[in-house]
Amino acid sequence: MLSTMMAIKIDANNHGRISELGQRVLNGGQVVRDEALSLFNLENTADIFDLLSWANRIREKFKGNKIHLCSIVNAKAGACSENCSFCAQSSFYQTGSPKYGFVDPEPVSEAADEANKNSVTAVGLVAAWKGLNEGPMLDEVCDRIRELKAGGKTRPDASLGIIKKQEVANRLKDAGLECYGHNLESSRRFFPQTCSTHTFDDRLETIGYLKKAGLKICSGGIIGMGETREDRCDLAFELKAIGANVVPINILNPIPGTPFEKNPPLPVMEILKTIACFRFILPRQEIMIAGGRTVNLRDAQSMIFMAGASALMVGNYLTTLNQSVEKDLQMLKDLGLDPSWDNHGFSDQEETGYGCGKENCETEAVMA
Ligand code: SF4
């Protein structure tokens, strides 16, 4: 056994394994599922700090000291036909969250001004509905995207649910959309416990249309819903397989009135370890810490960067509050991290899917 500065013992075998995998990823190699799962299963606080130090090195190597900031506008709120168990906006649950129709141009342009003032790269239009079809609503959505693009202040992003036709994805791309947010939420195995009104395959199919249209993909999930570490590990490999460009990690903020309202919070070290494991599996992706950050991490929020995060959702979330953007910017400054993003674009990263390492990977088949 080795000792650390904290006088907590670290396991020499774990230390050797973490270092070997960390060095491999730094050298451009990859970890396979069983190796990654052994990292997810680390228990000892000293071993987890060891893991974080490697995740930090991997982040520095592939992402430098730039931190990509994103914000969102709730472009259509509440009364959603879907039953996602974590969501305040589902019509299945009594949560008291606001309800309104599709947003007018003014709030979107105000959000772009605010984002620009705070070095925020992108503003995403997020709509609470099942998905988007051809018709007058698609015309209106495309108008908002065109206006955002023409304003030139931020990158126009959107998260508009399930898409069932290639033409819809093409229209969004033609309007100037660059990146579409569509989370896988969790592993294929756990997904049915989060939602029964649409399927994991509906989500993969949507991502297939988006990629074919040439859009960048922002896709991640939520941790703390009752899933296992294996589910988190499999989610990370699915995201790798679909070639997600940005990977948001949300931490469940249990909403009263939803089926997950009584879920116990994840321990802070479990959250940080999960972020670090994602960085080992997805060394070049933007790993963004999104909803539930403030309430779950409290004073440990700045540790997310040491755990490998390279992006941050700032401003308020769809139905819950975040800490102020000023406080986030101060946190980055104190850590010597740079939020500026020159062209509102994407940094270099591998664009292709990688496969998850399993034989006959279904995700690869869907995306092919
Ligand atoms: S997560 Fe999205 S699709 Fe699911 S209920 Fe909420 S708004 Fe609807």
Side-chain angles (χ1 to χ4, degrees), residues 120-265:
V120 175
T121 306
V123 168
L125 304 176
V126 182
W129 55 40
K130 179 166 189 162
L132 193 54
N133 300 310
E134 284 175 294
M137 184 48 72
L138 177 59
D139 298 339
E140 206 176 328
V141 166
C142 287
D143 285 346
R144 288 303 92 75
I145 292 167
R146 266 190 289 273
E147 290 152 14
L148 254 182
K149 179 86 176 171
K153 294 189 170 162
T154 65
R155 192 180 74 215
D157 290 358
S159 178
L160 304 163
I162 287 165
I163 288 176
K164 286 282 182 194
K165 277 193 168 172
Q166 187 60 53
E167 292 70 29
V168 175
N170 294 348
R171 286 268 318 270
L172 295 170
K173 170 75 176 164
D174 291 345
L177 191 71
E178 292 195 32
C179 180
Y180 194 100
H182 199 56
N183 286 340
L184 295 185
E185 311 299 14
S186 191
S187 68
R188 172 184 287 280
R189 185 173 45 249
F190 190 76
F191 185 89
Q193 293 185 52
T194 73
C195 178
S196 63
T197 46
H198 62 266
T199 65
F200 195 78
D201 283 323
D202 287 329
R203 293 190 162 257
L204 289 179
E205 188 188 356
T206 298
I207 288 168
Y209 292 130
L210 297 166
K211 284 178 72 100
K212 207 165 169 199
L215 289 160
K216 304 280 185 186
I217 304 299
C218 173
S219 184
I222 308 177
I223 61 173
M225 296 191 291
E227 77 288 343
T228 62
R229 289 169 175 166
E230 211 167 7
D231 289 316
R232 291 175 209 144
C233 182
D234 288 344
L235 170 64
F237 278 98
E238 291 279 10
L239 295 166
K240 187 166 187 161
I242 64 171
N245 302 89
V246 183
V247 174
I249 298 177
N250 298 274
I251 310 140
L252 182 76
N253 182 0
I255 308 283
T258 64
F260 289 163
E261 67 177 334
K262 293 202 165 46
N263 276 35

Side-chain angles (χ1 to χ4, degrees), residues 80 82-84 86-87 89-90 127-130 185 198 203:
C80 179
E82 304 305 284
N83 69 352
C84 306
F86 51 84
C87 182
Q89 304 203 74
S90 165
W129 55 40
K130 179 166 189 162
E185 311 299 14
H198 62 266
R203 293 190 162 257

Side-chain angles (χ1 to χ4, degrees), residues 112-123:
D113 288 343
E114 185 69 16
N116 189 248
K117 194 177 83 191
N118 291 316
S119 307
V120 175
T121 306
V123 168

